[in-house]
Amino acid sequence: MKKICTLFFIAALFHLTALAQRTEILLDEGWKFSKGNFPNAAEATFNDTRWETVSVPHDWAISGPFDKEIDKQVIAITQNNENKASEKTGRTGALPYIGEGWYRKKLNLPALKANQKVLLQIDGAMSEPRVYLNGKQVGEWNYGYNYFYIDITNDLKANDNVLAIHLKNMAKSSRWYPGAGLFRNVHLIIKEEKSIEQWGITVTTPIINKEFAKVNIKTKLSSKGLRLVTQILDSLGKQVAIDTAKSIFGKETDQNIEIKNPDLWSPERPYLYTAVSRVYEGAVLKDVVKTRVGIRSISFSAATGFSLNGQVRKFKGVCLHHDLGPLGAAINTAALRRQLTILKDMGCDAIRSSHNMPSPEQLELCDEMGFMFLAESFDEWAKAKVENGYHLYFDTDAEKDIVNLVQANKNHPCIVMWSSGNEVPDQFGAEGVKRAKWLQEIFHREDPTRPVTVGMDQVKATMQSGFGALMDIPGLNYRVHLYEEANKVFPQGFILGSETASTVSSRGIYKFPVVKGFDKQYPDFQSSSYDLEYCSWSNVPDDDFVMQDDKPWVIGEFVWTGFDYLGEPTPYDNSWPSRSSYFGISDLAGLPKDRYYLYRSRWNKTKPTLHLLPHWNWAGREGQTTPVFVYTSYDSAELFLNGKSLGIRKKDNSSPQNRYRLMWMDVKYEPGTLKVVAFDGDGKPVAEEKVTTAGKPYKIVLTPDRKQITADGKDLSFVTVSVVDKDGIPCPTASNALTFEVKGVGVFKAVCNGDATSLESFVKPTMKLFSGKLVVVVQAGKKDGPIQLSVKGKGLENGNTEIVSVVN
């Protein structure tokens, strides 16, 4: 028995050794951080014991405090058609991101074996990272949103090493909250010198039919004389194909592998294969790299518009900034997954990373969950939007930034197009046309399989200069009134709504009278959730719906935005204390606004939608006109107030609003119950929804999005906190101050109520409800066991919930 066990141990050790040819270490814990300028902080002997200990990803600014003076500017925002300067506040979130910061970490690595090399990869650092190892600068980058790696092999010592990273954020460097710090992951990659180059695998699927798919895999090797074997596994890990590279041209291989009866990747069924690439020198395994593969085809044509896997479809997309609300810019997979889950239920099938390069984690989740992706690169080219923006680096950095964007992400099946810019001032004139052509050619060189777009807001200029005509995909930001004219001028034969709507609203806030209009402002600095308010350059959702439904050459839209984000508080960018956006379909806490259900009623084809607004707590409005809207996938419905019918409404084409909403404009408010009954195509009642006037707040109710989370020190549960009256009816206007306490094997992470004017800290365990709700974020520790969240408020029955943390 002892001999058998010994043999088993030796076999297991051999197996682990074979798999350990490439090791990736996530440098997430044990960092020392301090904001400020420290001239000697790069030195290994620098004393950082008094610095804060943090985990990475980390955003040094999200803890605040909010301060009007941080980003106050006197400026005319040209993108908003302003020609006169005025004071702007909250434009970048009024959070303290400006300044310098240092991160330091000890690397206790074993002595490298002969012929090993070590790479340091940084997925994003805000901003201008300068990287030092043992006091020596080993690398740098300028663009905070980009990924880069450094070969640090020759600068490593045998045992103790000190990694130091200096970051600097200049004032007037962004149009939104950029975050601050090592806000994305940092990796250490140890591999053999004879191996696959970093980002050296390129997977495409040039031929697809029902019987088979041709998977082409090009691989860059570091040395000659190696052998490459590629194995394709299905989603269950079963081998479906294997191939040994027949010839190696210099250091590059080109394999064509047949997959029989392929399962195709789509938003509806995001099927993923895995390519396992093994490199041998003789019989010795030198490297193993796994690449997820989605077999799918994309095409854009004047005749059919956009097709995925041969099926014509339109993008049902949203734009997303990179911040995660109360978590700031620090990337977190659980928070990203929650965002995508909310969008999935809405029927969304596409994401535009606005206006910067996406995180690897976001792209991985979009592969898994089924979202097509428009990966954007820059908000500026050579001409400035903000004083210290990307234009400072464009001439020197744009090409290498695009190369890294494409090389790092080219194998994600979710990516269906690239964007080289957003609303760049370079849209005017011949120089801008040359820049657009140059950037597009870089994308084509690095990835010939995907088209390129630009979000164009100066549509007249791009029609006249030829700028729009040269793009693979002409993307129009708003300007629905110019769609017809642009489509006649541009040769492509189709238009993409690369940014649409910019409708503004505050969750649970309703303004009277209910009138459609732009740039409307109110004394409380909120916008109406009747979804009829927008910006001077934009429109309400229904105007885009008409274009999507009636014009086959309009290939879809990306709504601005899926979620509220920090900064850019239009239309209150000159009205402190507004410090975050009003554009979101969901608010900053991730709670859906009414507009969510308007989009869901059109986009979600698998589940019906029936949503009633406004709430029905209007003390003092008795007898006054209080319009009622219904967002529904059904064509008709009947409204009842306290049992009395207020009539049937049916969608019609008399106006864009009547086409997509059911509206009772003359309802007179009286307390009680408002009920809507929806009818199917035969006029039969099939669903109902109601809202009831609530009494005084009585009890706190907690609803976690997940009752079980992983004990990895990172996973999150988002707990919606609301209050109900003594009969259990939600109180939609409650603004009670609450406190939160987390016990057990987890910690309180953050809180957010979605109020764009709130100056309460995200990281302190107290906050007021906004429109009757807020969200508490609970983070797992690293132990199995229960986590208890208790929420208290004066005069309210406490709320309690338990979340289980499990070690995988």
Side-chain angles (χ1 to χ4, degrees):
M1 175 64 79
K2 184 177 180 180
K3 182 177 181 181
I4 294 173
C5 289
T6 302
L7 289 173
F8 177 79
F9 174 78
I10 293 171
L13 183 62
F14 175 81
H15 178 67
L16 289 172
T17 303
L19 291 179
Q21 304 305 314
R22 176 185 289 253
T23 303
E24 182 171 324
I25 302 169
L26 191 63
L27 301 181
D28 54 349
E29 296 183 341
W31 290 84
K32 303 295 287 186
F33 164 74
S34 181
K35 192 175 178 182
N37 180 18
F38 301 89
N40 300 317
E43 301 298 327
T45 56
F46 180 84
N47 185 356
D48 59 17
T49 54
R50 299 182 68 179
W51 285 13
E52 182 183 2
T53 301
V54 300
S55 295
V56 168
H58 177 247
D59 181 348
W60 81 52
I62 193 60
S63 59
F66 295 103
D67 186 346
K68 176 182 179 180
E69 300 302 317
I70 285 173
D71 54 8
K72 186 172 71 175
Q73 303 176 25
V74 178
I75 188 175
I77 301 176
T78 56
Q79 292 95 336
N80 298 0
N81 300 323
E82 295 179 359
N83 51 34
K84 184 179 180 180
S86 62
E87 181 178 282
K88 302 294 192 298
T89 56
R91 197 179 186 198
T92 53
L95 288 164
Y97 78 96
I98 297 166
E100 298 179 60
W102 281 91
Y103 292 82
R104 289 169 50 90
K105 181 174 174 60
K106 293 180 180 179
L107 302 179
N108 299 315
L109 300 177
L112 294 180
K113 299 176 182 177
N115 302 318
Q116 277 190 314
K117 67 189 305 181
V118 180
L119 305 179
L120 178 73
Q121 179 175 311
I122 298 176
D123 293 341
M126 193 61 67
S127 59
E128 299 185 18
R130 302 295 182 260
V131 182
Y132 301 85
L133 189 63
N134 303 319
K136 176 185 176 182
Q137 183 171 334
V138 293
E140 64 179 66
W141 208 262
N142 287 318
Y143 194 32
Y145 292 106
N146 211 344
Y147 340 77
F148 65 100
Y149 64 89
I150 306 163
D151 187 338
I152 60 173
T153 309
N154 296 331
D155 297 296
L156 281 169
K157 294 180 180 178
N159 294 305
D160 293 342
N161 294 270
V162 176
L163 174 65
I165 301 175
H166 174 255
L167 301 172
K168 180 176 69 174
N169 287 329
M170 292 187 286
K172 300 178 182 179
S173 58
S174 180
R175 297 192 300 118
W176 55 85
Y177 176 69
L182 291 176
F183 73 110
R184 291 181 181 167
N185 280 309
V186 180
H187 314 258
L188 206 63
I189 300 160
I190 305 172
K191 66 189 187 96
E192 299 274 347
E193 282 188 359
K194 295 181 178 181
S195 58
I196 295 170
E197 295 282 14
Q198 188 71 355
W199 304 338
I201 295 175
T202 302
V203 181
T204 58
T205 53
I207 299 176
I208 299 173
N209 56 47
K210 289 183 179 180
E211 291 74 30
F212 72 93
K214 173 182 170 181
V215 178
N216 178 262
I217 303 180
K218 294 179 172 64
T219 306
K220 294 181 179 180
L221 304 173
S222 62
S223 307
K224 294 182 179 180
L226 301 176
R227 179 167 57 94
L228 174 67
V229 178
T230 301
Q231 180 187 32
I232 307 291
L233 309 177
D234 66 14
S235 63
L236 299 176
K238 179 183 177 182
Q239 178 178 300
V240 294
I242 190 167
D243 180 78
T244 300
K246 305 300 187 295
S247 56
I248 300 178
F249 303 93
K251 300 177 184 178
E252 297 187 14
T253 72
D254 192 335
Q255 295 172 283
N256 289 306
I257 302 175
E258 180 183 11
I259 306 296
K260 295 180 179 178
N261 304 313
D263 287 291
L264 304 188
W265 184 95
S266 70
E268 293 71 33
R269 190 170 184 267
Y271 193 94
L272 293 171
Y273 294 86
T274 301
V276 184
S277 303
R278 291 184 172 88
V279 175
Y280 297 86
E281 184 179 39
V284 179
L285 180 66
K286 307 297 286 184
D287 198 8
V288 180
V289 175
K290 294 182 179 181
T291 307
R292 293 199 300 188
V293 176
I295 298 175
R296 58 104 179 103
S297 67
I298 58 172
S299 67
F300 296 82
S301 72
T304 59
F306 170 64
S307 296
L308 177 70
N309 300 328
Q311 300 295 314
V312 176
R313 62 189 296 158
K314 298 195 178 193
F315 294 103
K316 300 181 291 187
V318 300
C319 301
L320 291 180
H321 268 312
H322 68 302
D323 80 64
L324 294 169
L327 302 178
I331 207 69
N332 180 280
T333 300
L336 286 168
R337 187 183 294 277
R338 174 186 181 241
Q339 279 194 340
L340 294 176
T341 300
I342 292 167
L343 291 172
K344 198 74 172 178
D345 181 68
M346 188 175 71
C348 174
D349 66 8
I351 306 294
R352 174 190 181 215
S353 62
S354 312
H355 303 291
N356 45 261
M357 300 174 181
S359 68
E361 291 80 8
Q362 186 181 40
L363 293 173
E364 288 165 7
L365 285 171
C366 286
D367 286 343
E368 294 172 11
M369 298 177 68
F371 288 88
M372 297 177 288
F373 207 93
L374 195 173
E376 197 149 87
S377 50
F378 310 122
D379 190 50
E380 283 185 6
W381 292 352
K383 292 186 177 181
K385 290 183 183 179
V386 291
E387 185 176 315
N388 293 312
Y390 187 78
H391 69 277
L392 298 176
Y393 317 117
F394 179 80
D395 289 337
T396 56
D397 290 17
E399 181 169 6
K400 71 175 186 177
D401 278 330
I402 289 175
V403 168
N404 277 23
L405 167 67
V406 176
Q407 291 306 314
N409 299 310
K410 59 186 178 295
N411 295 324
H412 288 285
C414 65
I415 298 178
V416 295
M417 66 181 107
W418 307 105
S419 169
S420 59
N422 169 71
E423 297 182 1
V424 293
D426 314 65
Q427 290 168 86
F428 298 91
E431 285 300 315
V433 175
K434 291 178 182 177
R435 291 182 190 120
K437 187 174 187 295
W438 175 62
L439 293 171
Q440 184 164 270
E441 287 175 348
I442 297 171
F443 276 108
H444 288 169
R445 182 192 72 205
E446 299 299 314
D447 176 16
T449 70
R450 294 180 178 94
V452 181
T453 189
V454 167
M456 301 182 296
D457 64 329
Q458 302 300 323
V459 180
K460 286 284 190 180
T462 63
M463 286 192 282
Q464 295 167 3
S465 67
F467 186 109
L470 72 86
M471 300 309 304
D472 296 332
I473 299 175
L476 268 59
N477 285 9
Y478 316 107
R479 313 303 191 265
V480 288
H481 63 286
L482 294 176
Y483 271 35
E484 294 272 9
E485 183 180 354
N487 190 52
K488 290 177 182 178
V489 172
F490 295 153
Q492 296 91 339
F494 53 81
I495 296 287
L496 171 67
S498 46
E499 191 169 312
T500 65
S502 272
T503 303
V504 293
S505 64
S506 303
R507 177 183 55 78
I509 302 295
Y510 306 91
K511 301 297 184 180
F512 305 99
V514 179
V515 179
K516 181 180 175 183
F518 64 87
D519 291 347
K520 300 183 76 171
Q521 297 188 17
Y522 303 93
D524 62 356
F525 305 147
Q526 303 294 347
S527 295
S528 179
S529 200
Y530 276 104
D531 302 323
L532 291 173
E533 298 178 6
Y534 53 102
C535 303
S536 59
W537 68 86
S538 64
N539 50 269
V540 294
D542 319 70
D543 298 336
D544 292 299
F545 297 165
V546 170
M547 302 305 295
Q548 304 299 321
D549 288 347
D550 293 356
K551 309 299 180 183
W553 42 268
V554 178
I555 63 172
E557 66 172 317
F558 289 86
V559 182
W560 191 261
T561 54
F563 293 82
D564 279 335
Y565 54 93
L566 291 162
E568 209 170 29
T570 310
Y572 295 108
D573 49 13
N574 58 356
S575 303
W576 182 255
S578 295
R579 46 71 175 155
S580 60
S581 79
Y582 299 77
F583 297 118
I585 294 172
S586 292
D587 71 13
L588 197 69
L591 297 171
K593 302 179 186 178
D594 292 295
R595 198 163 4 118
Y596 177 93
Y597 300 96
L598 180 59
Y599 284 98
R600 190 183 191 278
S601 70
R602 280 177 36 79
W603 285 358
N604 190 325
K605 302 300 183 183
T606 61
K607 297 177 182 178
T609 298
L610 183 62
H611 177 73
L612 182 63
L613 66 122
H615 64 70
W616 213 238
N617 270 54
W618 296 107
R621 285 192 60 83
E622 288 80 5
Q624 295 185 46
T625 300
T626 307
V628 175
F629 288 7
V630 171
Y631 297 157
T632 181
S633 50
Y634 299 106
D635 284 334
S636 63
E638 185 172 9
L639 185 68
F640 297 86
L641 177 55
N642 294 328
K644 179 183 177 181
S645 175
L646 300 183
I648 294 174
R649 296 289 186 272
K650 184 177 177 61
K651 294 176 185 175
D652 61 48
N653 292 331
S654 60
S655 73
Q657 279 68 53
N658 283 319
R659 185 170 174 178
Y660 299 105
R661 317 181 192 205
L662 300 177
M663 301 182 294
W664 289 258
M665 298 300 295
D666 55 354
V667 178
K668 298 296 190 294
Y669 174 70
E670 61 181 59
T673 297
L674 193 67
K675 183 176 76 170
V676 64
V677 177
F679 304 112
D680 64 14
D682 297 324
K684 296 179 180 179
V686 288
E688 67 176 53
E689 186 74 19
K690 65 181 180 181
V691 292
T692 300
T693 306
K696 293 181 180 180
Y698 175 78
K699 179 182 179 181
I700 299 169
V701 176
L702 308 185
T703 309
D705 71 329
R706 297 163 65 216
K707 294 282 286 184
Q708 179 175 305
I709 56 179
T710 302
D712 60 1
K714 300 176 183 179
D715 204 2
L716 305 173
S717 179
F718 291 79
V719 183
T720 299
V721 180
S722 56
V723 296
V724 297
D725 68 10
K726 60 182 178 58
D727 297 317
I729 299 169
C731 300
T733 62
S735 58
N736 305 66
L738 305 179
T739 59
F740 324 107
E741 184 178 23
V742 176
K743 294 182 178 180
V745 295
V747 296
F748 168 82
K749 178 67 176 177
V751 60
C752 183
N753 62 12
D755 179 3
T757 70
S758 173
L759 300 183
E760 294 180 277
S761 171
F762 295 132
V763 300
K764 294 180 180 178
T766 179
M767 186 170 282
K768 291 181 180 179
L769 294 163
F770 177 66
S771 294
K773 293 183 179 181
L774 56 75
V775 172
V776 175
V777 186
V778 176
Q779 181 172 286
K782 291 192 172 182
K783 295 181 180 179
D784 272 323
I787 305 170
Q788 295 90 19
L789 170 64
S790 175
V791 181
K792 298 178 181 179
K794 186 177 180 180
L796 298 172
E797 186 176 310
N798 294 350
N800 298 282
T801 192
E802 185 170 280
I803 299 157
V804 178
S805 179
V806 178
V807 175
N808 281 347

